[in-house]
């Protein structure tokens, strides 16, 4: 059960990921060791949501913070929750190097193709020709594929995968694998395709249709 | 002859001070003039990581101290700018973040060894109220002692602590007997504990919530400032001019004051050892009598120390100011004496 009411927008995908994370930690009996670091962006809203140790960091800086934490407390289970902008734009340098060094931390990236907190601006994951407040004529870039980029960098034993908030079974399976990966001392990243009806300006089934459409661009599965 | 006396570089003293303070890990990125602190620490075999940049070093220090580990970093110039990101989080969350800054010339990449131009950056470089402890050592011995003190004060009072030095002091060798220096360590403790759940924000929904946090931090700051603020003061009882300098320039000014006294000039000496909190009371108290007619602020910057002195000096104290400013350049005893004699 969550500790407090969710602070996310109605219809946000984040609480699904967080509740699945909590369920997985519960199932494995490791809530006490878990430490959840939050990037700034919508992830920050999880600061008192789950009954586990949680703190906020800075935009793009949750990965090096959790690296410092994990190296200091090796028996902890360090989870970095970050958006696609925090992970793949402003924090990419740290993400790449943490992956390359095989830091035993678990990174959960929410990919909803936009900067949600600031009003839906273009993110590294924004689709080609997607219209956003900072790409009013449509995004001229191709989207960024985080797990695929890291694939060529990580060491043997690391875990990289992509799933979606409406694939609960797979989401839980990947979160569990990511936790197990940390337990044996390796880096893991799970990208979760998520919806943002507030900034997508979608209602009802439009939101689900758009999310399912993303799966054609961002392939689900383990890498 | 004392056998415990060693001839050590400033950077060796910093590493020794961190070891003696029971620091457990260093995160850093190579930049002149602090490279030898990083390589010197790594040579001790203690845990360390050369990060991808100073931003990562700063946040790794934040993560480590959250877990309860004494951690530190070292940098200067452009690296010091990048570290302000993590330092700002440390200021906001009251983290015992320790950094040794080797000032180099600026702006931009500037020069690589010496300057006193990072005073404002160290004291007020964040997007907050500048609630960070800033120590400015004048001698090798003080570099060692203040590095020890930075760890102690950071962990006791939970403010980020900066030892603001420069490449001259870091790359200078001097004889020192460390066995004479007795400092007890303040132990580290877990800020995110293992035995209970913490929910810890550093961003607030309501302006009032943030305002409350700032006021609480300011209240603590005001309480701890008097015991922490420290200055070296000499020859002020009958002085007519007061020479103010900090750091290694302070050491030159101290010698200049001695020589000026010999030639009959009534010069006094005031050196803030802590720039934040500033030893304001010590300075104001020098004006209880009316012997002091003039303050001369001497620094390797175009007035960063002078701004702090003018701001801190009680407004009712009427005294003239003069400045000897050589941004990015060292200042020698002889030129200080010439300046005083010609003014």
């Amino acid at each position: 059960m969550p500790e407090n009411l969710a602070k996310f927008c109605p219809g946000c995908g984040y609480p699904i990921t967080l509740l699945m994370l909590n369920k997985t930690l519960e199932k494995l009996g490791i809530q006490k060791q878990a430490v959840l670091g939050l990037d700034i962006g919508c992830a920050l809203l999880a600061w008192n949501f789950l009954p586990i140790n949680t703190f906020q960091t800075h935009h793009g800086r949750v990965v090096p913070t959790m690296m410092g934490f994990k190296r200091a407390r090796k028996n902890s289970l360090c989870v970095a929750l970050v958006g696609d902008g925090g992970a793949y734009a402003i924090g990419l340098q740290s993400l790449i190097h943490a992956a390359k060094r095989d830091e035993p931390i678990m990174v959960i990236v929410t990919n909803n193709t936009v900067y949600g907190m600031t009003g839906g601006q273009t993110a590294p994951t924004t689709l080609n020709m997607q219209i956003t407040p900072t790409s009013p004529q449509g995004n001229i870039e191709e989207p960024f594929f985080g797990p695929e980029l890291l694939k060529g960098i990580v060491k043997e034993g690391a875990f990289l995968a992509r799933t979606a908030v409406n694939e609960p079974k797979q989401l839980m399976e990947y979160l569990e694998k990511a936790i197990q990966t940390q337990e044996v001392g390796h880096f893991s990243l799970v990208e979760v395709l998520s919806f943002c009806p507030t900034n997508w300006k979608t209602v009802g089934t439009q939101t689900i249709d758009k999310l399912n459409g993303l799966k054609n661009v961002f392939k689900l599965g383990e890498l | 002859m004392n056998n415990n006396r060693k001839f050590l570089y400033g950077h060796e003293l910093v590493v020794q001070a961190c070891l003696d303070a029971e620091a457990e890990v260093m995160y850093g990125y190579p930049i002149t003039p602090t490279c030898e602190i990083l390589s010197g620490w790594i040579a001790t075999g203690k845990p360390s990581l050369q990060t991808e940049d100073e931003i990562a070093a700063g946040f790794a220090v934040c993560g480590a101290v959250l877990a309860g580990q004494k951690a530190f970093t070292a940098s200067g110039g452009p690296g010091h700018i990048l570290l302000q990101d993590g330092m700002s989080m440390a200021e906001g969350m009251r983290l015992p973040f320790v950094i040794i800054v080797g000032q180099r010339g600026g702006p931009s990449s500037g020069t690589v060894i010496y300057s006193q131009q990072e005073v404002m950056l160290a004291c007020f470089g964040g997007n907050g109220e500048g609630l960070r402890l800033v120590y400015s050592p004048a001698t090798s011995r003080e570099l060692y002692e203040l590095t020890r003190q930075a760890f102690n004060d950071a962990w006791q009072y939970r403010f980020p602590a900066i030892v603001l030095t420069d490449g001259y002091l870091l790359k200078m060798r001097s004889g020192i007997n460390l066995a004479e220096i007795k400092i007890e360590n303040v132990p580290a403790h877990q800020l995110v504990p293992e035995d209970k759940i913490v929910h810890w924000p550093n961003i607030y929904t309501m302006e009032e919530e943030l305002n409350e946090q700032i006021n609480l931090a300011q209240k603590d700051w005001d309480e701890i400032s008097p015991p922490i603020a420290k200055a070296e003061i000499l020859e002020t009882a009958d002085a007519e001019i007061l020479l103010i300098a900090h750091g290694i320039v302070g050491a030159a000014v101290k010698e200049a004051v001695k020589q000026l006294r010999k030639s009959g000039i009534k010069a006094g000496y005031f050196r803030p050892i802590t720039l934040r909190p500033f030893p304001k009371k010590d300075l104001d108290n020098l004006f209880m009598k009316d012997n002091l007619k003039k303050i001369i602020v001497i620094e390797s910057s175009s007035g960063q120390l002078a701004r702090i002195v003018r701001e801190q000096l009680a407004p009712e104290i009427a005294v003239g100011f003069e400045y000897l400013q050589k941004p990015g350049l060292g200042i020698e005893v002889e030129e200080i004496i010439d300046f005083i004699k010609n003014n």
Side-chain angles (χ1 to χ4, degrees):
Chain A
M1 281 299 289
E3 186 92 337
N4 286 293
L5 288 176
K7 293 181 164 63
F8 300 91
C9 298
C12 176
Y14 259 106
I16 301 174
T17 305
L18 285 159
L19 288 172
M20 287 297 181
L21 171 67
N22 195 42
K23 222 173 159 176
T24 311
L25 294 171
E26 243 174 18
K27 183 184 155 192
L28 300 173
I30 49 169
Q31 276 174 309
K32 278 195 172 161
Q33 290 105 287
V35 181
L36 178 62
L38 305 171
D39 215 65
I40 299 301
C42 297
L44 74 89
L45 296 169
W47 74 277
N48 68 350
F49 187 49
L50 298 183
I52 60 175
N53 268 321
T54 309
F55 52 81
Q56 296 170 334
T57 65
H58 276 199
H59 184 46
R61 311 299 176 224
V62 71
V63 167
T65 308
M66 297 319 286
M67 171 192 81
F69 196 102
K70 178 71 185 185
R71 281 172 174 250
R73 196 182 294 167
K74 298 205 165 41
N75 65 345
S76 61
L77 179 90
C78 283
V79 185
L81 184 68
V82 54
D84 35 25
Y88 303 148
I90 195 165
L92 182 63
Q93 178 143 306
S94 288
L95 180 68
I96 287 178
H97 283 272
K100 181 174 176 291
R101 287 192 302 259
D102 202 24
E103 298 289 343
I105 57 169
M106 168 180 173
V107 184
I108 303 174
V109 182
T110 299
N111 174 359
N112 55 16
T113 76
V114 290
Y115 281 86
M117 180 58 85
T118 46
Q121 294 85 354
T122 301
T125 46
T126 300
L127 303 181
N128 183 243
M129 293 321 289
Q130 185 176 336
I131 290 168
T132 79
T134 51
S135 298
Q137 311 299 322
N139 180 29
I140 57 168
E141 301 294 334
E142 294 296 327
F144 193 98
F145 299 94
E148 286 81 354
L149 175 87
L150 297 181
K151 183 67 187 164
I153 293 167
V154 291
K155 292 191 176 143
E156 183 81 32
F159 178 72
L160 299 168
R162 183 185 290 112
T163 180
V165 290
N166 64 347
E167 304 282 352
K169 225 177 123 186
Q170 190 185 45
L171 174 55
M172 223 171 136
E173 181 196 328
Y174 288 171
L175 291 175
E176 194 170 333
K177 281 189 178 169
I179 291 167
Q180 287 159 351
T181 300
Q182 181 168 157
E183 281 172 342
V184 293
H186 297 291
F187 175 84
S188 61
L189 180 140
V190 178
E191 183 184 294
V192 185
L193 299 180
S194 184
F195 32 64
C196 179
T198 302
N199 287 300
W200 287 1
K201 301 183 184 10
T202 51
V203 289
T205 53
Q206 291 173 338
T207 305
I208 302 295
D209 290 346
K210 191 170 160 70
L211 176 65
N212 287 332
L214 290 180
K215 295 175 191 169
N216 298 323
V217 181
F218 301 99
K219 300 291 178 207
L220 305 193
E222 293 180 30
L223 273 98
Chain B
M1 186 71 191
N2 189 331
N3 288 333
N4 289 326
R5 201 167 168 83
K6 286 183 181 162
F7 199 50
L8 295 172
Y9 283 106
H11 56 80
E12 291 176 315
L13 285 166
V14 168
V15 170
Q16 191 58 49
C18 294
L19 282 174
D20 294 345
E22 294 168 326
E24 293 172 84
V25 65
M26 176 181 183
Y27 292 97
Y29 185 89
I31 185 168
T32 311
T34 58
C35 296
E36 293 86 354
I37 299 174
L38 180 60
S39 54
W41 177 265
I42 290 170
T44 67
K46 301 286 280 182
S48 65
L49 181 69
Q50 181 178 327
T51 53
E52 56 274 16
D53 54 29
E54 289 88 348
I55 296 174
F59 284 92
V61 169
C62 288
V65 299
L66 281 163
Q69 198 177 43
K70 275 190 190 174
F72 72 101
T73 186
S75 194
H80 182 191
I81 293 174
L82 296 181
L83 278 161
Q84 289 295 332
D85 196 357
M87 233 185 285
S88 173
M89 175 159 140
E91 194 178 324
M93 296 175 82
R94 303 282 304 269
L95 305 181
F97 183 112
V98 174
I99 168 174
I100 289 83
V101 171
Q103 294 176 97
R104 42 185 276 164
S108 185
S109 302
T111 55
V112 299
I113 301 294
Y114 176 76
S115 181
Q116 290 192 315
Q117 294 172 283
E118 295 175 47
V119 170
M120 283 295 147
L121 186 61
C123 293
F124 303 106
N127 57 337
E129 303 301 325
L131 302 187
R132 52 270 288 279
L133 308 165
V134 182
Y135 311 85
S136 179
T139 63
S140 301
R141 183 188 171 104
E142 222 176 49
L143 178 62
Y144 173 87
E145 289 171 336
L146 292 177
T147 304
R148 296 284 304 273
Q149 196 184 334
F151 280 99
N152 276 352
D153 290 346
W155 281 93
Q156 180 154 357
Y157 304 112
R158 292 208 22 206
F159 286 104
I162 302 163
V163 180
L164 185 70
T165 182
D166 57 67
Y168 283 176
L169 208 47
L170 289 171
K171 291 171 187 290
M172 191 167 75
R173 286 176 94 182
S174 29
I176 187 165
N177 181 0
L178 291 174
E180 288 171 2
I181 303 172
K182 305 277 180 230
I183 301 170
E184 274 188 36
N185 286 330
V186 173
H189 59 275
Q190 293 186 340
L191 306 182
V192 174
E194 282 173 286
D195 54 357
K196 67 173 199 229
I197 291 169
V198 169
H199 288 140
W200 196 349
N202 80 355
I203 179 166
Y204 302 93
T205 313
M206 308 301 291
E207 278 82 2
E208 288 79 3
E209 292 175 87
L210 173 66
N211 175 261
E212 191 186 332
Q213 290 300 317
I214 296 169
N215 290 342
L216 280 172
Q218 186 69 51
K219 189 171 163 280
D220 287 353
W221 177 267
D222 293 342
E223 272 170 25
I224 66 154
S225 289
I228 291 184
K230 216 158 67 173
E232 186 182 23
I233 303 167
L234 289 169
E235 306 278 8
T236 54
D238 65 338
E240 289 171 1
I241 52 172
L242 183 66
L243 275 54
I244 301 183
H246 77 101
I248 200 165
V249 177
V253 170
K254 187 176 176 178
E255 179 57 30
V257 166
K258 274 187 206 162
Q259 296 192 25
L260 286 166
R261 281 277 168 179
K262 278 183 198 158
S263 50
I265 295 173
K266 289 184 173 173
Y269 170 72
F270 181 89
R271 177 174 65 88
I273 295 169
T274 54
L275 293 170
R276 291 282 290 161
F278 191 84
K280 174 186 167 51
K281 280 227 168 68
D282 294 330
L283 181 60
D284 288 346
N285 286 344
L286 299 181
F287 294 86
M288 302 277 265
K289 296 187 295 174
D290 57 1
N291 54 304
L292 282 168
K293 307 289 182 240
K294 193 160 69 177
I295 285 176
I296 301 175
V297 187
I298 302 167
E299 59 184 314
S300 300
S301 134
S302 304
Q304 298 195 23
L305 175 65
R307 276 160 77 178
I308 294 176
V309 172
R310 285 193 307 262
E311 190 250 339
Q312 293 286 330
L313 189 68
E316 62 273 19
I317 294 170
V319 60
F321 272 92
E322 272 184 41
Y323 309 102
L324 172 54
Q325 297 171 342
K326 301 187 78 178
L329 286 176
I331 304 179
E332 292 182 25
V333 178
E334 294 70 24
E335 54 191 316
I336 297 166
I337 293 168
D338 286 348
F339 181 85
I340 305 300
K341 286 186 171 169
N342 296 326
N343 273 272

